[in-house]
Amino acid sequence: MENKPDNANVWKFRLKDKIANISHVSLKEDVWFSPEHMKLWFYGYRTSKDYKASIWGKKTDFSFSIAPPGTPADKLPEAPPVRRKAAKLSPKRQACIDSLKLKIKELKARLPKLPDEEMENRYWDYLDRQSFMDSLQSAAAVWDNKESDIPVKCFETGKRLTGMLPMLKAMRLPDELMRDDTKFSIVLLRLLQFAKIVEENAGKNNISLPEGLRDLIDFIDDFTDRMIDGGNKLFGIERRITMDEHNAVMEMDGEAMFGNKPVEERLAMLQELWENRLLSPVDRIEYLEQAINLIRNQEHKRTEAEPCPHRELIKRHIAAIGIYMKELENDGERAWRMRMAKGLYGSLVSWREAAGEPPLTLEDFAGQIDLQSMHIKTKESGDGIVSCDMELYFRDRDDSFAGHIMYALVRNGAVKEITLMG
């Protein structure tokens, strides 16, 4: 078994050309300790955290690792940075840190309790679980009947779904249950998706539906939106952040975390970030902690750290990553959604049949696929050629694969694998 040490060296890089709206990155030594051989192994460099990249106009977890020639190696590269010696904080700086710690404590105290089984069960105090599940299963059974004609399936399924509207309208959830991070909210979203599938199929085949089906769709649409708003309120988020606002936050994040501006300007930017009520409390706490680190480092003796041993190599690899990321952006989200849908459609049919879920068309499946995260691995051969593996992780909004992640491997620009993971 191998363990990563926590004291790896870290270097900051300003990107000449932004990658997915990221202008600065921090890389650390990718070092593992092998107890079996009692050795440290150097694998190269990796991002010190998962960045929030902007890919196809959406926030995505993004990280990468870089392997120089000859890695893994059983010795670290030369020229580690000089460690700074800590100095005693001045009373003014200590008072500032104490104030920031108090803000962190207040934010943590206001964090809501995560949903547990007891909370999930409370939803059924306001809705008859048996009647709800019986109606949903009855509708699914009609829809899955392969011997029934499409007009009959659409109308009869619509009638059973419409019959659920009165019980849903009668549901009066207390404010603390109006949140979108629960299993119950997922059940409502699946019901909404089911009703929309029936409506879309009826529309394509010019089939009449019970009048109440559209009312059911509108009601659940509005109710789940209110659950999202309730979740934001519960976490102290004023409203949903727009993409322009998100991009502005990411730009300020880069400047505050890794920019070359004076410390006081960086602290002012961090303050703007930790006071931003459009961000989650967890993000705001991270900015407060970063401000504390910045203040402490300001009091340290400033001895210049030696440069990264592979600085120029890292610049080449980052440039290569930028090229492949531009190609990914140019491919577009729509093309990638369809590519993943085609690659996994056979599995989708099997999984949904086994779970008793209504079928999805290829187009409907593609429409609910979202990129969640990506990791890029680059390595360089002895002759200086840089190769690049891009690992993309997608999520199906309907969770048809019961928590399994959709995975794609792209090697030097060519798709090599599309499969399920986890």
Side-chain angles (χ1 to χ4, degrees), residues 165 169 211-220:
L165 183 57
K169 282 187 172 181
E211 294 180 2
L213 186 64
R214 173 37 58 179
D215 294 335
L216 174 72
I217 291 171
D218 290 341
F219 176 82
I220 302 177

Side-chain angles (χ1 to χ4, degrees), residues 115-253:
D116 56 16
E117 186 175 356
E118 181 182 356
M119 177 180 290
E120 295 289 354
N121 287 333
R122 285 186 59 198
Y123 285 96
W124 302 109
D125 294 338
Y126 304 89
L127 182 66
D128 187 323
R129 184 201 295 257
Q130 194 62 50
S131 296
F132 180 87
M133 297 308 297
D134 285 348
S135 298
L136 184 56
Q137 290 170 5
S138 174
V142 173
W143 187 252
D144 290 339
N145 186 353
K146 294 180 173 58
E147 297 179 359
S148 181
D149 295 333
I150 288 292
V152 174
K153 288 173 64 170
C154 286
F155 187 84
E156 290 299 323
T157 302
K159 185 168 68 173
R160 284 162 173 75
L161 291 176
T162 301
M164 302 174 72
L165 183 57
M167 71 174 82
L168 289 171
K169 282 187 172 181
M171 182 173 55
R172 296 290 184 271
L173 295 182
D175 289 345
E176 66 268 20
L177 295 183
M178 289 297 291
R179 52 193 291 177
D180 61 328
D181 59 344
T182 62
K183 294 178 182 177
F184 182 77
S185 67
I186 295 175
V187 170
L188 290 184
L189 288 172
R190 286 187 172 181
L191 175 58
L192 176 62
Q193 179 72 22
F194 188 8
K196 285 184 175 180
I197 289 172
V198 174
E199 186 183 56
E200 289 170 7
N201 276 271
K204 291 176 183 177
N205 294 280
N206 198 26
I207 298 168
S208 297
L209 286 172
E211 294 180 2
L213 186 64
R214 173 37 58 179
D215 294 335
L216 174 72
I217 291 171
D218 290 341
F219 176 82
I220 302 177
D221 233 337
D222 175 71
F223 195 87
T224 50
D225 279 346
R226 286 190 283 124
M227 293 188 82
I228 292 172
D229 293 337
N232 287 343
K233 183 179 179 181
L234 190 64
F235 280 87
I237 301 172
E238 288 186 349
R239 58 173 173 79
R240 301 179 210 182
I241 193 169
T242 67
M243 183 50 60
D244 287 342
E245 289 167 335
H246 162 68
N247 290 340
V249 165
M250 293 303 299
E251 182 70 27
M252 187 175 293
D253 176 290

